[in-house]
Amino acid sequence: MGSKNKLKRFKENETFSNVIQPTREELTNGSFSYKGKWNETFFKNINPIVLELGCGKGEYSVALAQQNPDKNFIGIDIKGARFWRGAKTALEENLNNVAFVRTQIELIDLVFAKEEVSEIWITFPDPQIKYKRTKHRMTNEDFLSRYKKVLKPDGIIHLKTDSEFMHGYTLGLLHGLNHEVLYAHHDVYGNEYSPQEVTNIQTFYENQYLETGKKITYIKFKLT
């Protein structure tokens, strides 16, 4: 994407009512006004809040919002030029139950209050295979502890990935930490019993993976 195109999208994001771009200072000094008040102030309903972390173009957030009008969805990514597409689509389709936040995932517990979130989707994250990149894996122990802070006690996390490494790493960590694995499969499209919410939404890149015969893995779990 050219720099002019990126700048255009950044400018357009500033005009979108469904895009929130808090400064790091706002988050760290506790002045971010939506924290603890997302239902009351932004969505103006009491529906469950569901996050998509590392949402990219926002395809999953938008599709989930279309299929679940009784839930609120928030896509989070630091790359605003990417989720511009999802935000624009949501506005064009008058989807009032989806928003996008431009911030780093490690600041999630500064964006949301304790037990404010019902579900988290992690869709096709970078597996960060090299050992020295472990701290950046979105299902490492540190990230899981941050998710636990904002999730309700019965909150659910979904991990959908094309990486067998990420799938195996996460499963091993969950079992080692005695978290509750509700469902796991290394090939969701090859399993007729896979949950529909996992198989009836495909992102642009996921379709490319499937066309090349790459298997898509999935884990659904709770943090105990």
Side-chain angles (χ1 to χ4, degrees):
M1 189 192 303
S3 57
K4 281 187 179 178
N5 212 2
K6 270 190 179 179
L7 289 172
K8 183 183 175 186
R9 291 183 175 189
F10 285 141
K11 279 287 183 190
E12 207 167 348
N13 276 346
E14 290 173 10
T15 70
F16 288 168
S17 59
N18 60 356
V19 171
I20 298 97
Q21 303 187 82
T23 63
R24 194 179 184 93
E25 186 183 10
E26 270 182 287
L27 296 177
T28 54
N29 69 16
S31 64
F32 182 53
S33 60
Y34 287 122
K35 182 180 178 181
K37 298 179 180 177
W38 279 98
N39 281 110
E40 173 191 341
T41 312
F42 186 86
F43 292 108
K44 296 179 172 55
N45 62 44
I46 58 169
N47 295 337
I49 292 173
V50 182
L51 310 182
E52 184 194 2
L53 305 182
C55 67
K57 295 180 181 180
E59 298 161 282
Y60 230 87
S61 294
V62 170
L64 285 169
Q66 289 168 330
Q67 295 176 16
N68 301 275
D70 56 341
K71 292 181 179 180
N72 301 318
F73 295 88
I74 302 176
I76 299 178
D77 208 301
I78 193 61
K79 296 184 177 177
R82 283 190 188 170
F83 68 58
W84 164 88
R85 178 64 269 169
K88 192 173 180 70
T89 299
L91 289 174
E92 288 169 349
E93 298 190 9
N94 294 312
L95 290 171
N96 299 317
N97 63 328
V98 61
F100 294 88
V101 176
R102 184 171 183 254
T103 193
Q104 294 164 305
I105 306 301
E106 53 264 38
L107 301 179
I108 189 173
D109 51 334
L110 302 179
V111 179
F112 301 95
K114 184 180 179 183
E115 299 181 8
E116 191 170 15
V117 174
S118 294
E119 284 180 68
I120 291 174
W121 281 84
I122 305 170
T123 51
F124 302 96
D126 186 331
Q128 309 285 2
I129 291 173
K130 290 183 180 177
Y131 178 75
K132 64 181 180 181
R133 302 289 297 175
T134 303
K135 66 180 181 180
H136 298 290
R137 286 180 204 147
M138 286 178 60
T139 56
N140 70 26
E141 194 169 350
D142 179 55
F143 274 113
L144 293 181
S145 68
R146 292 175 190 273
Y147 305 156
K148 189 172 182 180
K149 286 180 186 176
V150 302
L151 276 170
K152 295 184 183 300
D154 59 347
I156 300 288
I157 300 179
H158 310 263
L159 171 66
K160 190 177 184 184
T161 174
D162 63 304
S163 169
E164 282 279 1
F165 169 82
M166 188 69 166
H167 181 78
Y169 165 80
T170 304
L171 264 185
L173 188 65
L174 294 174
H175 288 309
L177 295 172
N178 294 315
H179 293 309
E180 186 180 357
V181 176
L182 302 170
Y183 181 95
H185 205 279
H186 69 283
D187 180 12
V188 286
Y189 292 101
N191 175 23
E192 62 178 310
Y193 302 108
S194 293
Q196 268 199 324
E197 61 186 342
V198 182
T199 57
N200 64 4
I201 299 173
Q202 284 105 41
T203 65
F204 172 77
Y205 290 111
E206 185 177 354
N207 275 317
Q208 289 190 329
Y209 300 146
L210 291 170
E211 282 173 14
T212 62
K214 205 168 190 183
K215 291 181 171 55
I216 306 299
T217 72
Y218 171 70
I219 309 172
K220 179 179 183 178
F221 59 97
K222 283 184 181 182
L223 301 176
T224 55

